[in-house]
Amino acid sequence: TSEESATLPSSNTTIKILDRGPHHLVVAKPPAVVCHHSEWAGLRKNKKKNKGQNKIIYRHGESNLDDEEEQPMLQQVRDMLHGRRVNLIHRLDRGASGCLLFSFADGDRVGGGGSELGSIDEENRKFPTEHGPNPTSQLIQSLQNPNSIKTYVALVRGEGILHGEDLKTKGWFTIDRPIKDEKGRVRDAITEFRFLAGYTVVVLDELGSEDRGENGLKDKTPLSFKNKSANEPQPVRASVVLARPKTGRWHQIRRHLNGLSHPILGDSTHGNSKINREWREHRNMLGERTCLHLGRVQLVPTTVTMGVEDAGSTTNVLPNGLDVTCPIPRDMHDMIAVYMPQLLEEVIPLLAEEGITFESLS
């Protein structure tokens, strides 16, 4: 299906529809918006402190989150559909952006799921399926299939060098490191990463020579950087990284990247608070932005094995699978374009190899 947009009846906010079928809907989640109200999502913090920093630039208009009550994506999509019930198939962190998949709840039989996220098994992130493979459970099962792929784009601190090794030369590599879930239980966690390109500013010493060699993109920097106070912004060091989680653990990508000493910019939980503050105060990062974007979702076709009691009552909701992309939004584009233009030039063709682009600025 072609990309389209719809405006919420109660506001000027525009929701971009990336894909739509008889049983599913994929929309573009903007940053700084929660998927749904829950204990897991938490409440918006420091609203006064961040006032003025949460203006979201949409392709078809603007929305300033400081001027309105927080409305989760689940409710926004329902309002866009004039009250039609939908189920959220997966979640994105409040500060993240990208593809967000819903099912239409009217295709589910009673007991086979619900439109409220409280009916999800939080550990396995599944709807109960004892009443048969309804559209919601089919989509969740397809999403959890090991052959389905979710490709995220992250903007991280660091130029892609770890203990002297250039991560950018490794191509796709796997991190298999257990992490604790929300309840403190240790869980297996596997993520595939690809460091596309890195950028760093080379600081000159007093003799005008390079302070140290780096393998990222380089700019010459005034000597004044050597004498900056602790309160002044440090030279820019950042990389663009692709991530494909193979398991669905809590903050998995964020924690694995932090373990690689390349925390995601804006990550207030696992990142560097000083660096995050510098990007917000000096480099125009949104107040509630985590620079993680779900750029592409590829789902395997759904399959239905029907028992006698299900015969004639169950529909295969994705017989051909699903491949949908969400362009990287303007705020992340501008962070790279303004402060790391060489990095932008390098990553555009590399992202295109994965079918991911930046949002049109027109």
Side-chain angles (χ1 to χ4, degrees):
T1 56
S2 59
E3 182 181 297
E4 57 181 305
S5 297
T7 302
L8 297 182
S10 58
S11 70
N12 293 324
T13 301
T14 299
I15 294 180
K16 184 189 300 180
I17 299 172
L18 303 172
D19 193 87
R20 182 170 183 167
H23 304 281
H24 77 277
L25 179 72
V26 185
V27 304
K29 176 192 174 298
V33 180
V34 71
C35 285
H36 66 100
H37 287 313
S38 71
E39 182 180 356
W40 175 87
L43 299 174
R44 172 165 289 161
K45 299 178 181 179
N46 301 323
K47 185 173 182 179
K48 292 182 179 179
K49 181 178 180 180
N50 291 327
K51 188 170 180 63
Q53 295 184 342
N54 287 324
K55 179 177 286 188
I56 308 298
I57 308 298
Y58 296 90
R59 192 161 125 187
H60 302 283
E62 299 181 356
S63 176
N64 195 326
L65 298 179
D66 296 321
D67 298 331
E68 57 190 55
E69 292 298 321
E70 183 175 26
Q71 189 178 39
M73 289 300 298
L74 183 64
Q75 186 61 52
Q76 289 188 38
V77 171
R78 286 180 184 170
D79 290 347
M80 177 188 69
L81 298 171
H82 305 286
R84 187 177 182 183
R85 294 171 59 244
V86 291
N87 291 324
L88 190 57
I89 301 301
H90 67 106
R91 301 176 295 203
L92 295 174
D93 295 335
R94 182 199 300 272
S97 57
C99 300
L100 196 59
L101 174 61
F102 294 85
S103 66
F104 292 118
D106 43 28
D108 293 343
R109 291 188 295 282
V110 176
S115 60
E116 299 302 327
L117 267 290
S119 60
I120 289 183
D121 174 344
E122 291 293 336
E123 178 178 334
N124 298 306
R125 302 196 178 167
K126 296 178 181 179
F127 280 89
T129 59
E130 62 270 22
H131 289 269
N134 57 56
T136 296
S137 61
Q138 285 187 56
L139 289 171
I140 292 176
Q141 290 167 8
S142 177
L143 188 68
Q144 294 176 337
N145 187 293
N147 294 317
S148 291
I149 301 172
K150 291 192 297 182
T151 304
Y152 290 81
V153 181
L155 184 59
V156 304
R157 184 204 68 185
E159 61 274 16
I161 308 296
L162 180 65
H163 305 311
E165 181 181 19
D166 187 351
L167 299 178
K168 301 182 296 298
T169 65
K170 291 171 65 69
W172 284 99
F173 63 94
T174 301
I175 296 296
D176 185 347
R177 182 173 65 85
I179 57 179
K180 291 182 178 180
D181 63 15
E182 301 95 316
K183 299 180 181 179
R185 297 170 298 188
V186 177
R187 300 290 186 184
D188 291 337
I190 302 173
T191 312
E192 295 177 347
F193 290 107
R194 181 186 174 192
F195 279 66
L196 294 183
Y199 180 96
T200 186
V201 173
V202 177
V203 180
L204 304 182
D205 62 22
E206 294 181 357
L207 298 177
S209 60
E210 292 184 4
D211 190 25
R212 63 187 179 95
E214 302 288 358
N215 293 325
L217 299 173
K218 302 176 182 180
D219 274 347
K220 298 298 182 181
T221 302
L223 297 179
S224 58
F225 265 122
K226 295 286 288 185
N227 302 314
K228 278 189 173 294
S229 71
N231 295 325
E232 293 184 88
Q234 299 300 305
V236 174
R237 292 190 307 128
S239 298
V240 175
V241 181
L242 298 179
R244 290 175 175 168
K246 310 307 290 185
T247 52
R249 307 308 181 196
W250 178 58
H251 290 181
Q252 176 175 316
I253 296 174
R254 294 161 61 175
R255 295 162 82 179
H256 275 173
L257 280 170
N258 186 49
L260 291 171
S261 299
H262 283 75
I264 297 175
L265 295 180
D267 187 343
S268 59
T269 304
H270 311 287
N272 184 294
S273 59
K274 182 178 184 296
I275 297 299
N276 291 341
R277 184 169 60 252
E278 289 179 356
W279 276 92
R280 290 192 179 100
E281 295 179 356
H282 302 284
R283 302 186 185 114
N284 303 319
M285 185 169 69
L286 295 174
E288 291 184 307
R289 180 49 141 152
T290 302
C291 292
L292 182 65
H293 176 79
L294 180 50
R296 187 175 184 181
V297 174
Q298 298 164 276
L299 301 186
V300 298
T302 54
T303 57
V304 177
T305 302
M306 295 183 294
V308 175
E309 68 279 8
D310 294 320
S313 63
T314 303
T315 301
N316 190 347
V317 300
L318 282 181
N320 299 314
L322 178 70
D323 188 350
V324 60
T325 60
C326 182
I328 302 170
R330 179 174 167 182
D331 71 294
M332 280 182 65
H333 170 276
D334 289 352
M335 288 173 63
I336 302 172
V338 173
Y339 301 102
M340 302 170 286
Q342 292 170 285
L343 180 62
L344 180 66
E345 182 178 346
E346 184 171 356
V347 299
I348 285 177
L350 297 176
L351 288 169
E353 293 177 7
E354 304 294 341
I356 299 172
T357 62
F358 285 95
E359 185 176 56
S360 171
L361 302 184
S362 59

